[in-house]
Amino acid sequence: MDEDQRRSYWRANTTLIRNLLIVWALVSLVFSILLVQPLNAIRFFGVPFGFWMAQQGSILVFVALIFIYAFQMDKLDRKYNLGKQDQKYNLKK
Amino acid sequence: MSVEIWTIVLVGLSFAAYIYIGWQSRVENSKDFFIAGQGIPSIANGAATAADWMSAASFISMAGLISFLGYDGSIYLMGWTGGYVLLALLLAPYLRKFGKYTVPDFVGDRYYSNIARLVAVVAAIFVSLTYVAGQMRGVGIVFSRFLQVDINTGVIIGMVIVGFFSVLGGMKGITWTQVAQYSVLIFAYLIPAIAIAWFLTGNPVPQLAFTFSDIADKLNKIQVDLGFKPYTEPFVNKSMLDVLFTTIALMVGTAGLPHIIVRFYTVKSVRAARFSAGWALLFIAILYTTAPALSMFARYNLIDSLHNQTVAEVQQLDWATKWEKTKLLAFDDINKDGRFQLTPNKDTNEIKIDRDIIVLSTPEVANLPPWVIGLVAAGGLAAALSTASGLLLVISSSIAHDIYYRIIDSSASEEKRVFVGRIMVGFSLVLAGYFGVNPPGFVSEVVAFAFGLAAASFFPVIFLGIFDKRTNSEGAIAGMLTGLIFTIIYIVGVKFGGMQPWFFGVSPEGIGTLGMLINFAVTLVVSRLTPPPPAEIQAMVEDLRSPLIEE
């Protein structure tokens, strides 16, 4: 990988991290804590929505975020031809 | 068969399995001993991380805590899971790329300084010791409750089992044992939760029963009728700011706990580290989304079956009389009307319920067969033992690897390093056992320490070490020390020194968030005022950022 590729790989990585962390902060800190009172006026089936986000929804989103990151990074590694070499290394061992 | 016999059989079988696995994974070299030879598949590492993470407190006490706190219990649910997102996105892949043995290793190498390494070692030992003391006590309590042995005998049985597989197998033995322990603890947790969900709502999936039933509404109504705040109402026990700070401190602390971070050194590749974090959180989420459902159902069920019942009716409840004997459930007909009332007022309340009985009593309340109760005991022990073993390894590798090998004798042979590692596991085991037998009175109060200190010390230096090439050793040392010292003073001052929580009323549990911000600010400013790190360190950081592993 040359210098330019390195830089654009890193930029793509940090952009992905930033976007996912925005979602992370929205579901947990904003929806489940800061805005929990107004959101509790909305019903999510049998429970108030803010309460559901705090006790179930945010955890489900957290799991999804990590897998999205892992799959997106796989794609990025393939694009920069990093994934294969990584595997080759492992086979060699 | 009786409950006692089932308990002995199930606990005995699970222990035999752990010991067998420990024997199968015995190791000789230091790479196997400290980081399991970096050969753990990502899904197995995920299960091991989950078992390492979920302690006796998660298994036994968390659902009860949430049951009493209602919405405000969400700090634990979000805090102890949300940290994995930070860990997966910001730390784990890069630490795996770095590929050494411990967290202080990273700090020492990245900041080219043995002082930084030492500060990190001291913080790692302090955090882990705080945590392990509580675990050993937990082991003793579970043993004494289910096997009717003395708590101290329980602690010693626990020490022997943990000692066997960690001395012999090091990280490798611990990892495979933890995979087994995860399976035991998750089944033990789910079976009673599924039963109570089925029993109350007719829906066997607790997470769905939580949402698609009217229990939340019914519980809110009962709580209000009895004079409590509604179960789902936020900020009853803590202010919004305190909930926010505590949640962040638990999240960041989770991402900074050395026994969790070190798990990501054990996988094959950077890619495996990314997926492994996902598996870990998925496995944890199975328990952490079940817990709030269990909390709500158990609270509803306890109030519904005990409140306003006559003395004779309560005496007919077999489980109620059983738990009354342990003093964890107490009745007192204060107003002599022949019925027991639950109220928020201490002077008129006639039913006292200890938080710890929520999970432990569920199988009996839901009328489950005796083997389920034995399984819950085995699950609680699996949770406590797996966490204790992970922590013991961190303490021993901090001493054997970071102090002995990296600072004192860097020419030590392979055999000698593993030998010192084994001795140190033994030494930390005795120390942990001592704390289990003679619990320092403050154990339950200092859990906040572990998270606050991890948040205020490790997270910023590791994060900046990867994402900011300009951060140098002066900045990192100054930041870690100010973050640590500030957080320690606040926690000790408020918990033991009678100091008022002066920062907008933020509790000691949440102050780690401010400690972390102070650490970040100090590190960034001091780094900019002092010379940049040497070129080879900047090249190392550059290298960390690409997932290619070249050795």
Side-chain angles (χ1 to χ4, degrees), chain A residues 13 32 43 46 56 74 77, chain B residues 71 94 211 217 271 274 289:
Chain A
N13 179 9
S32 302
R43 302 282 299 180
Q56 302 270 294
D74 260 9
D77 288 351
Chain B
Y71 163 88
Y94 311 101
T211 310
D217 284 340
R271 179 175 186 272
R274 292 184 203 128
T289 52

Side-chain angles (χ1 to χ4, degrees), chain B residues 534-550:
Chain B
E536 69 266 21
I537 297 295
Q538 305 207 24
M540 178 194 132
V541 177
E542 195 60 60
D543 183 55
L544 281 183
R545 295 175 176 186
S546 112
L548 266 184
I549 295 179
E550 305 146 66

Side-chain angles (χ1 to χ4, degrees), chain B residues 402-474:
Chain B
D402 296 308
I403 297 183
Y404 176 73
Y405 175 64
R406 297 302 300 259
I407 299 178
I408 297 174
D409 179 9
S410 53
S411 63
S413 69
E414 192 74 1
E415 291 78 40
K416 202 161 178 197
R417 287 163 63 191
V418 176
F419 178 72
V420 175
R422 291 204 163 115
I423 298 289
M424 282 305 144
V425 172
F427 168 75
S428 355
L429 191 63
V430 172
L431 202 63
Y434 174 81
F435 280 133
V437 174
N438 305 297
F442 52 87
V443 161
S444 59
E445 294 184 315
V446 291
V447 183
F449 263 133
F451 287 91
L453 298 183
S457 59
F458 288 124
F459 184 77
V461 284
I462 303 175
F463 173 78
L464 291 174
I466 298 158
F467 288 84
D468 180 42
K469 273 195 257 181
R470 186 65 180 75
T471 299
N472 61 16
S473 72
E474 291 85 348

Side-chain angles (χ1 to χ4, degrees), chain A residues 6 9-10 13 17 20-21 24 28-29 32-34 36-37 40 43-48 51-52 54-56 58-59 62-63 66-67 69-71 73-74 77 82 85-86 89-90 93, chain B residues 31 66 70-71 74 78 81-82 84-85 88-90 94 207 210-213 216-217 232 234-235 240 247 251 269 271 274-275 278-279 281 285 288-289 292 467 542 545 547-549 551:
Chain A
R6 240 178 220 283
Y9 175 81
W10 184 244
N13 179 9
I17 293 175
L20 295 175
L21 285 185
W24 168 83
S28 56
L29 308 180
S32 302
I33 299 175
L34 297 174
V36 64
Q37 276 152 330
N40 269 352
R43 302 282 299 180
F44 184 81
F45 301 96
V47 285
F51 173 78
W52 182 80
Q55 299 215 332
Q56 302 270 294
S58 56
I59 301 176
F62 295 155
V63 177
I66 300 182
F67 278 109
Y69 179 69
F71 280 113
M73 286 306 285
D74 260 9
D77 288 351
L82 291 170
Q85 293 173 45
D86 198 11
Y89 164 80
N90 284 324
K93 265 197 100 180
Chain B
K31 199 176 177 190
I66 299 167
Y71 163 88
S74 313
M78 287 191 288
T81 54
Y84 278 83
V85 178
L89 274 50
L90 301 175
Y94 311 101
Q207 289 82 348
F210 183 80
T211 310
F212 302 103
S213 73
D217 284 340
T232 59
F235 316 125
M240 183 193 276
T247 305
M251 284 172 166
S269 62
R271 179 175 186 272
R274 292 184 203 128
F275 276 96
W279 289 117
L281 187 58
Y288 272 60
T289 52
F467 288 84
E542 195 60 60
R545 295 175 176 186
L548 266 184
I549 295 179
E551 268 175 29

